Amino acid sequence: MEPKGSESPSPTVSSPRCSMASVSALDDMYPSHSLASLTPNAADTPSIPPKRAYIAVAVLCYINLLNYMERYTVAGVLSIIQTVFALSDSTAGLLQTMFIVSLSLLAPVFGYFGDRYNRKHIIIGGLIVWFACAAGSSFVGPSHFWLLVLLRSLVGVGEASYSTLAPTIIADLFTGSKRSLIICIFYICIPITPILGLVGLALLVFLCPHPPREATETQGEGVGKRSSYLKDIKYILKIKSYVWSTLGVTALAFLTGALAFWMPTFLSRAHVTQGIRPPCTNEPCDPTDSLIFGVVTVATGIIGGVTGSALSRHFRDKMPNADPFICVVGMIGSVPCLFITIFVASASIPATYVFIFIGELLLSLNWAVLADMLLYVVMPTRRATAEALQIIVGHLLGDAGSPFLLGVISDAIHASRPESSDWSFHSLQYSLLLLPFVGILGGVFFLFASFYVAEDRNAVQQLLTGLEIHLASSLLS
């Protein structure tokens, strides 16, 4: 398979028959005067050369890597931040919570403009803000903690623009199994820095094209002549597999966000509880736990992402709802690993890392699969809006609150026995017990998504075929 313009339709979905109902529904979904912009002739559609498409993907993956490295920098040095700023667990959790809230609230704004205007320019503007705030937060002194919180919040501007729009650019550069593979590579960067951010920004400006939206644009038509934003949202919320998978994404974000933020600190306190090292009271704190946890997260992210995508491509022909079932296995399978990790940490650090590895591997099966699933159940003209809605729900109800919530629970438990030196470990340990139950809930959500995903995917294929027939008939008349 080749990038957009030379690739045949995906073999995983049979060509749907276009019913009169699907064609007649088009006038309600799109203004009649913009149908030509939704189904262009192949000869009229601007083509992105294959080489440039792959270069664009490399740039987008590079920036995605930097975004997620920066996102979890705070978690890697959280013990040091708590020492320098004298923070409780709940106050420390606010750093991540405020960042995610900012990202979530801005995602719909970028989704709206991304479905209508040049996505490359929007991403560039967001990344400029991201770089400035990320660099500025490095110079905040110990007496200005709330300035650090403000800057971390503004970092969400860049991530909101990028995480909302970058997958839709990839979707318009590739189709079929090739798109699934590229999405897998892109989301592997989730588990894997300001100066490097400037390099990524330059690469985006000069090397990343703005591709025509799949079956949505021609040289002579703008995307502004299309349905309203509220109509887009109403359409998206009728896609049952999208709604259930978004709830599953929310549970996954809650779980992984809390793990990424608190696990290095939890492991550091476990070392203290076992008497392996003394508590950190002054800088520099021992960074070993953050380093090892980071290496484990990178390894499981790569292996899990590749495995999940490979399983999806292997089973999708035989089982139309394979993708949400892979997510079910990943979520439910991680639950016993989480329980064991939480309780074995006080006895054996090596055993703890083994179960962290297995649990994160299972959770990492989901990322690329989920991104691909959203792209094929939503019409091309509404993908950025769908990405934005999933981001705002997934983050606001997921990892925006989970670090702070676990910090509040930990502080409340710790207050009952503040004189005990080991109680800071146990209070955080008991607060982490919330996560396995969230994992079970997420598995249930993905199970419900599996009941509707094949139907929703075929509906999109029918509508795209209907658009082509409608345009062909209008040109002949």
Side-chain angles (χ1 to χ4, degrees), residues 31-48:
S32 59
H33 58 268
S34 66
L35 282 172
S37 69
L38 296 170
T39 56
N41 295 325
D44 295 332
T45 305
S47 176
I48 302 298

Side-chain angles (χ1 to χ4, degrees), residues 106-121:
L106 290 169
V109 177
F110 288 111
Y112 174 85
F113 289 108
D115 275 338
R116 289 157 174 79
Y117 304 104
N118 190 298
R119 290 166 290 181
K120 174 181 171 180
H121 296 163

Side-chain angles (χ1 to χ4, degrees), residues 111-117 213 223 226 380-385:
Y112 174 85
F113 289 108
D115 275 338
R116 289 157 174 79
Y117 304 104
R213 290 168 180 81
V223 290
R226 44 154 299 160
T381 48
R382 288 164 170 146
R383 283 174 179 159
T385 299

Side-chain angles (χ1 to χ4, degrees), residues 41-308:
N41 295 325
D44 295 332
T45 305
S47 176
I48 302 298
K51 182 178 179 181
R52 194 178 182 196
Y54 287 117
I55 292 175
V57 167
V59 173
L60 292 174
C61 289
Y62 171 73
I63 298 174
N64 201 39
L65 172 64
L66 299 182
N67 267 325
Y68 279 92
M69 286 174 62
E70 200 284 331
R71 176 183 291 194
Y72 292 110
T73 297
V74 171
V77 294
L78 184 60
S79 296
I80 298 175
I81 291 176
Q82 286 189 276
T83 300
V84 171
F85 289 93
L87 305 178
S88 65
D89 287 350
S90 57
T91 306
L94 276 177
L95 282 172
Q96 192 73 353
T97 294
M98 294 304 296
F99 162 75
I100 297 295
V101 167
S102 171
L103 185 160
S104 303
L105 294 178
L106 290 169
V109 177
F110 288 111
Y112 174 85
F113 289 108
D115 275 338
R116 289 157 174 79
Y117 304 104
N118 190 298
R119 290 166 290 181
K120 174 181 171 180
H121 296 163
I122 295 170
I123 292 175
I124 290 171
L127 289 181
I128 291 173
V129 177
W130 169 77
F131 167 75
C133 294
S137 64
S138 303
F139 300 98
V140 176
S143 60
H144 298 89
F145 172 71
W146 292 107
L147 177 59
L148 178 62
V149 173
L150 175 62
L151 290 173
R152 288 299 299 168
S153 300
L154 294 176
V155 167
V157 174
E159 291 220 24
S161 68
Y162 187 78
S163 58
T164 302
L165 303 182
T168 69
I169 293 177
I170 293 176
D172 292 331
L173 290 171
F174 301 90
T175 60
S177 60
K178 176 64 71 174
R179 180 166 69 194
S180 300
L181 177 61
I182 298 299
I183 286 291
C184 167
I185 295 171
F186 179 79
Y187 277 93
I188 280 175
C189 296
I190 284 182
I192 327 233
T193 49
I195 296 301
L196 293 178
L198 279 179
V199 178
L201 182 60
L203 291 174
L204 180 67
V205 171
F206 295 109
L207 298 180
C208 184
H210 177 247
R213 290 168 180 81
E214 180 185 5
T216 61
E217 291 182 357
T218 61
Q219 293 174 341
E221 293 286 343
V223 290
K225 298 178 180 179
R226 44 154 299 160
S227 55
S228 69
Y229 194 47
L230 291 178
K231 196 170 185 179
D232 287 351
I233 294 175
K234 183 178 179 181
Y235 159 78
I236 291 168
L237 294 179
K238 289 181 179 179
I239 305 172
K240 295 179 182 178
S241 64
Y242 171 85
V243 172
W244 286 112
S245 64
T246 297
L247 293 174
V249 167
T250 301
L252 179 63
F254 186 100
L255 198 162
T256 55
L259 280 178
F261 193 80
W262 285 116
M263 191 53 65
T265 300
F266 176 68
L267 292 168
S268 177
R269 293 180 185 180
H271 276 94
V272 175
T273 297
Q274 292 185 38
I276 299 175
R277 71 169 71 121
C280 177
T281 55
N282 296 293
E283 291 188 79
C285 299
D286 191 330
T288 304
D289 298 305
S290 297
L291 177 62
I292 297 176
F293 181 74
V295 170
V296 169
T297 301
V298 170
T300 56
I302 294 173
I303 299 171
V306 171
T307 303

Side-chain angles (χ1 to χ4, degrees), residues 432-460:
L432 290 171
L433 285 174
L434 177 63
L435 300 184
F437 297 99
V438 175
I440 294 172
L441 186 61
V444 172
F445 289 147
F446 286 128
L447 181 62
F448 279 107
S450 69
F451 299 151
Y452 304 104
V453 68
E455 175 187 346
D456 292 338
R457 183 173 186 172
N458 287 334
V460 170

